[in-house]
Structures are given as C-alpha cells and as structure tokens.
Amino acid sequence: MPELPEVETIARGLAHAVTGKTIETVTVSMRKIAVAPDGVPFEAALAGDTVALVGRRGKYVTIDLATGRRLVVHLRMTGRLIVQGAGYAEPYPYTHVVLAFTDGTRLSFADVRQFGRIRLLAAGDPWDADGGVEPLSEGFTSEAFVSMLDGRRTRIKAFLLDQSRIAGVGNIYACEALWEAGIRPSRPAHTISKPARRRLHGAIRNVLTRSIEARGTSVDDYVDAEGLKGGFQNQLAVYGRLGEPCPRCGRPIVRTVLGQRGTWWCRGCQK
DNA sequence: CTGAGATCCTGGGGGC
DNA sequence: TGCCCCCAGGATCTCA
C-alpha cells in the first residue's frame, strides 16, 4: 500500500515525466474513480490545461495545473500512476483514467480494487485543511511530537495512522518505527515516556527517510511511475515477517490485530 | 474522546 | 487439480 515514501517516489517520477506538458485528451472508463466539482465535466475540463507542478501531501499526489486548479490522487491500497511514453500502445492493466498529453506521453491511473480516486479541485480549494503535520517537515520537531501525545489515551499505533495528526504514515512505517523505537504498538500514547517519545519521533523520520532513499517498499502491489518496484522491503525489520527472528533480540516476530489492522512486532524488545 | 463495525473491491490464499 | 469461501486494507461514516 502506498504510504509517504511510495507516494513521494511516484510524485518525483511524475514531476520529471510530465511537468510542463499539456493535456490533449482525457479518457475515463470508470466514472466513480474520477471526481470533479458538481457540474464540472472531468474530461472536458482538463483538456488544454498544462501541468505546472507535481508534489505530495501526506499520501496524496498533487498535480497543480496552469489554470490554478489541482488534481489530487489517492492510491489507497492498489492504485498506480503510470507514465508511458509515446511508443507504448498497450494500455496498462486495470486502467480507469488516462491523461494523454500533446507529445504522446500518457499518464494512467490504474487500480485493481477501485478504491483510489483522482479528484479535480477548483483553484483555492482548501482540500487538505484537516491534514496532519508532514513528518519530514521542519515543523515536525521532537518537542512538537512529544506534546502531541499528551493526554491521548488511544493506542500509539492507531495514533500514528491518524492522517489528521501526522500525514503519510501507514501500516508499514507505523510498525517499523515502533519497532525501531522499542515501543509496544498497543501502548496508550500518553503512557509513553518523554525519552521514548523522542526515540519514536526520530524513528519515524529515520524509517521514512531511508525508505525514500530506497524508492519505497514493494511488499504487495506498489510500483513507481515507471512501473518499477522499490527496495525497502529488503530492510523491513518486522512488517510481514511473522515468525522470523527479531533483528535486535532474536525473538520471533508476532502478528496481532490492532484497530482492525495487522500489526507486526517483537514481544522481546518492544515494551 | 475512543473504539468497534460496516463499507467499498477483487486477487489470491487457505482449506478440502 | 479444482473450487469455494473469505480475507486484507485506507479512509470515512455510523453507532455505542
């Protein structure tokens, strides 16, 4: 499932591939995937517009257009954004939306499970107003994170997954950061000591940064904008590693369910 | 505030 | 081998 490092990798690839290009035609083969403001026809509205800037906000890819409008893409679990050059004739499997540029480049949104969305927003739409802090931004300081946990009785892993608190952390990196910090995923957030909170803050930033360097984690469906897998799955300590030895203490990794999500962790060194 | 359950989907894994 | 059943999972909403 694409989380911050995967979305960052995709956005960087897209920025390289389509910035400055002009949309010629748009094809939508599954209506619910492409969302536009009431009364705005998605395909016709985009034709003729130009990609000004590609970026990322949380788990969203953002595509700013020259007219001031913006496309925001959420890939959910199995969504993909794939760039194909003018030479490609074959449509990518499970493609639901295609932006065809005037130079022949195509940007396809594909999604087996159809949970992802590509939304067209009017200029100035405050679409991310309730989004949480970017964990790799200057604003996400150790002290800010320490105080975020004050009084929060929710379990720390559920807190990390709350996109309105911290934007971009999903199941993989929540599990990995908690392991790196040595914190049990079910700990109520407010019971975690200040030093442990600081360790967790560092672990979140560390695991996200290392994964971006590896171009993301491909444990299931994730590929980047060129269709290539990432490399961070080879560095995972606990995620998906049921029964394998903990890299730190050797105890077998366990899987429990927390907040209706699979959770991998080590009973030996996560307290 | 907090958590549980339902919803959306389909490939694929488990069980027989 | 083949088939059926059921589950995973991010965001969002409802309900307790």
Side-chain angles (χ1 to χ4, degrees):
Chain A
M1 54 217 105
E3 306 178 22
L4 188 154
E6 292 76 36
V7 178
E8 179 69 27
T9 302
I10 291 167
R12 289 179 185 181
L14 280 189
H16 180 73
V18 303
T19 300
K21 294 189 177 177
T22 298
I23 300 165
E24 185 165 51
T25 57
V26 178
T27 307
V28 177
S29 50
M30 186 166 289
R31 182 51 50 187
K32 69 180 178 186
I33 301 289
V35 179
D38 285 345
V40 175
F42 187 91
E43 296 94 316
L46 284 168
D49 214 333
T50 298
V51 175
L53 187 68
V54 181
R56 179 194 59 76
R57 166 73 178 124
K59 298 178 188 173
Y60 292 86
V61 174
T62 61
I63 302 173
D64 293 356
L65 301 169
T67 54
R69 300 175 302 170
R70 171 178 284 156
L71 286 167
V72 297
V73 183
H74 200 299
L75 301 166
R76 290 293 181 96
M77 278 85 74
T78 53
R80 296 178 173 188
L81 279 171
I82 300 291
V83 174
Q84 295 172 313
Y88 281 84
E90 285 297 306
Y92 200 82
Y94 302 102
T95 290
H96 305 308
V97 179
V98 178
L99 308 188
F101 296 94
T102 53
D103 71 344
T105 301
R106 290 186 312 186
L107 172 57
S108 298
F109 177 89
D111 190 352
V112 170
R113 292 193 184 158
Q114 307 167 23
F115 284 1
R117 293 291 182 270
I118 175 165
R119 271 206 294 158
L120 172 61
L121 305 175
D125 188 325
W127 65 283
D128 64 344
D130 62 349
V133 63
E134 285 289 333
L136 296 181
S137 71
E138 301 268 321
F140 187 60
T141 63
S142 179
E143 290 315 302
F145 180 67
V146 165
S147 58
M148 281 173 81
L149 303 190
D150 287 342
R152 300 303 312 274
R153 312 185 78 84
T154 193
R155 293 167 293 186
I156 185 61
K157 190 195 172 204
F159 181 90
L160 295 181
L161 294 179
D162 183 345
Q163 300 300 297
S164 72
R165 306 287 174 178
I166 302 170
V169 175
N171 207 21
I172 296 172
Y173 301 105
C175 290
E176 292 296 309
L178 287 166
W179 176 83
E180 183 178 318
I183 297 169
R184 185 161 39 87
S186 58
R187 278 277 293 278
H190 74 285
T191 68
I192 299 171
S193 72
K194 292 270 194 322
R197 295 183 195 188
R198 291 189 199 101
R199 286 203 309 276
L200 181 54
H201 170 267
I204 292 166
R205 292 172 64 107
N206 182 44
V207 72
L208 293 175
T209 301
R210 288 194 297 123
S211 183
I212 290 172
E213 287 170 1
R215 302 180 57 80
T217 302
S218 292
V219 284
D220 38 25
D221 291 88
Y222 165 72
V223 293
D224 68 13
E226 299 172 84
L228 302 175
K229 289 182 181 294
F232 197 67
Q233 61 275 14
N234 300 318
Q235 298 181 54
L236 295 174
V238 289
Y239 183 85
R241 302 179 66 93
L242 175 63
E244 296 182 42
C246 168
R248 185 165 45 211
C249 75
R251 288 266 291 270
I253 301 302
V254 298
R255 179 187 187 273
T256 56
V257 175
L258 194 155
Q260 297 164 303
R261 303 263 164 67
T263 302
W264 288 265
W265 57 289
C266 174
R267 293 188 192 280
C269 57
Q270 288 180 255
K271 301 301 184 186

